[in-house]
Amino acid sequence: ESAQAIESPFAGVKEIPLSATDAKVIEYIQTKGMVCASDLQSYMHYKGKNAASARLNLLYKQGILDRFQMGHKVYYRYNAGKANQILITPPQ
């Protein structure tokens, strides 16, 4: 006889490992509501906007953030609805 499969409470949930820096970025975005790359640049003390922009874009591609174009700037917002479908592994 074969063993009966047990339904996982996390079925259909994808797990994304999160670095300590990414966790800090998400926490900052949750506090501010919406941020652009220059906001994150000053908060994280990056020399240029590229590092902040790349990090925000990566989190957007992972489905953790939403992205909005407002004029010439792109703003990112934490999407709690989408993030509920994702199990984020806390940094070790």
Side-chain angles (χ1 to χ4, degrees):
E1 284 181 39
S2 64
Q4 199 170 2
I6 298 170
E7 182 87 21
S8 167
F10 299 115
V13 175
K14 62 181 179 174
E15 185 172 348
I16 298 176
L18 211 57
S19 71
T21 306
D22 287 340
K24 186 177 176 182
V25 168
I26 291 170
E27 191 177 303
Y28 174 66
I29 293 170
Q30 286 175 313
T31 313
K32 295 282 286 179
M34 284 175 60
V35 300
C36 63
S38 56
D39 295 335
L40 187 62
Q41 176 190 356
S42 60
Y43 175 71
M44 298 294 285
H45 307 291
Y46 289 140
K47 288 182 182 173
K49 249 194 306 190
N50 283 353
S53 186
R55 189 166 295 279
L56 288 167
N57 202 33
L58 181 66
L59 291 169
Y60 164 73
K61 285 180 179 176
Q62 290 176 331
I64 298 171
L65 301 179
D66 280 337
R67 179 166 63 183
F68 303 94
Q69 178 88 36
M70 293 184 187
H72 293 289
K73 287 193 172 187
V74 178
Y75 286 88
Y76 294 83
R77 182 176 68 191
Y78 179 72
N79 184 334
K82 269 189 195 174
N84 285 342
Q85 302 302 311
I86 302 167
L87 185 63
I88 299 173
T89 308
Q92 302 300 324

